Structures are given as C-alpha cells and as structure tokens.
C-alpha cells in the first residue's frame, strides 16, 4: 500500500491504492519575487482610473512595456489614445504617482509597467526586473480614496432601515 503521510489515494471504481504523485519540482519563480507573493493591496478597479489612464496602460502594454522599459512621450500617447497632450500628461503623471507605471530614471522618458501587477515574459526576467526596479506596491491616491468613500456613503444611504407604520396602517 502506497501512503504519503496518513493519506492514501484510492481508485473508487476498483478499490486499489494508486501510487502517490511525484513531489513538486521547484520553479524559477519560487522565492521572494512572484506574482503570488506580492499581490496588490489595491486592485486596479478600486483606483478610480479614468478612460485616458486605462487607455495609456493598454498602449504601454501593447508597446512592450509589460516586459521591459519603453520610450513614452505625452505626444505619442495623446495621438494613440485620441486625447489632448494635457490629458496624456495628466494620465502619465497619475499612473506614475500610483506606481502603476515606473520611470526607469527621473529624467528619461522610458517607462515600464509595474512588474508586480503586469508582466509578460519569462519568470527569470520578472525576478530580474523586480530586483532592478524594486517596484513599490500600488497604493490608492486621494482621488481613489474619495471615490471609495463616496461609494461607501452611497451604499450606507441605500441600506434598508427599520420599517415604520404609515398613518393608513401600511408599512414603509
């Protein structure tokens, strides 16, 4: 009888004991930098991102920004997302402030999507990107917190209260 600890695998049709599966082989991503080890404290849907910000994320991702740094100018973003240059600059600056987009250096115009949240490529390359960039967690800003507070206030206002009797005998 093959056993692993106190658990045995048994074929329910025949009643025979099935050999235990092989032990799991460690993966390159096992360790301190994995997508599972560093989940986002703030999911993207809770950050109250504008359409221009979502479009900017998509544009950077389609340009290869999820696997490495790419050159991004507000003019190019504005043309691609069909917005004004001011809107593109605002979107880029907010995404950098939220740590969704990371600048590779303060004066360069190269950006990379945060490897903790967005990654396309091999596991070893992700480990190297996380070590090189030391990506900070994505955290909500004042706009996201205000949107969450407004939603909570709205939900509280909709919450049913105790029923009261009306003057004609019905309930409200």
């Amino acid at each position: 009888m093959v056993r692993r600890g106190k658990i045995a695998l048994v074929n329910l049709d025949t009643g025979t004991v099935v050999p235990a599966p092989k032990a799991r082989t460690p993966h390159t991503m096992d360790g301190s930098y994995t997508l599972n080890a560093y989940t986002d404290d703030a999911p993207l849907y809770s950050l109250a991102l504008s359409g221009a910000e979502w479009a900017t994320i998509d544009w950077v991702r389609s340009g290869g920004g999820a696997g490495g740094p790419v050159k991004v100018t507000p003019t190019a973003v504005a043309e691609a997302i069909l917005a004004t240059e001011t809107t593109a600059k605002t979107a880029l600056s907010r995404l950098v402030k939220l740590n969704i987009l990371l600048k590779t250096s303060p004066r360069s115009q190269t950006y990379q999507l945060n490897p903790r949240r967005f990654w396309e490529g091999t596991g070893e390359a992700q480990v190297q990107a996380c070590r090189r960039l030391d990506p900070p967690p994505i955290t909500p800003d004042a706009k996201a917190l205000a949107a969450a507070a407004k939603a909570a206030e709205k939900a509280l206002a909709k919450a049913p209260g105790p029923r009261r009797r009306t003057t004609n005998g019905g309930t409200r």
Side-chain angles (χ1 to χ4, degrees):
M1 184 183 237
V2 177
R3 289 183 181 244
R4 177 177 268 182
K6 295 183 180 189
I7 298 174
L9 298 173
V10 177
N11 184 334
L12 295 177
D13 295 332
T14 62
T16 59
V17 175
V18 179
K22 292 190 269 183
R24 183 178 176 276
T25 305
H27 188 269
T28 306
M29 291 300 294
D30 290 343
S32 61
Y33 285 110
T34 67
L35 290 176
N36 293 333
Y38 289 101
T39 56
D40 291 323
D41 295 331
L44 290 182
Y45 62 81
S46 71
L47 298 177
L49 297 175
S50 69
E53 291 160 351
W54 281 111
T56 302
I57 290 171
D58 189 43
W59 183 78
V60 172
R61 178 183 236 165
S62 66
V70 293
K71 185 166 178 72
V72 177
T73 61
T75 307
V77 173
E79 289 174 7
I81 68 171
L82 304 175
T84 65
E85 195 170 330
T86 305
T87 302
K89 284 180 185 178
T90 306
L92 284 169
S93 67
R94 181 156 187 253
L95 292 173
V96 168
K97 189 188 309 181
L98 289 170
N99 297 322
I100 293 173
L101 270 181
L102 305 174
K103 283 187 100 166
T104 55
S105 70
R107 291 189 176 202
S108 74
Q109 290 185 328
T110 56
Y111 296 83
Q112 181 174 355
L113 288 166
N114 191 328
R116 288 187 181 178
R117 179 69 178 103
F118 304 94
W119 185 254
E120 294 172 5
T122 64
E124 186 60 37
Q126 182 187 20
V127 171
Q128 290 174 359
C130 287
R131 285 186 183 142
R132 186 182 83 247
L133 295 171
D134 192 23
I138 296 171
T139 55
D141 63 351
K143 181 180 175 183
L145 294 174
K150 185 177 178 181
E153 195 174 285
K154 189 174 182 181
L156 187 62
K158 282 188 176 182
R163 294 198 168 273
R164 329 178 274 206
R165 291 247 176 233
T166 60
T167 55
N168 64 1
T171 57
R172 257 173 64 182

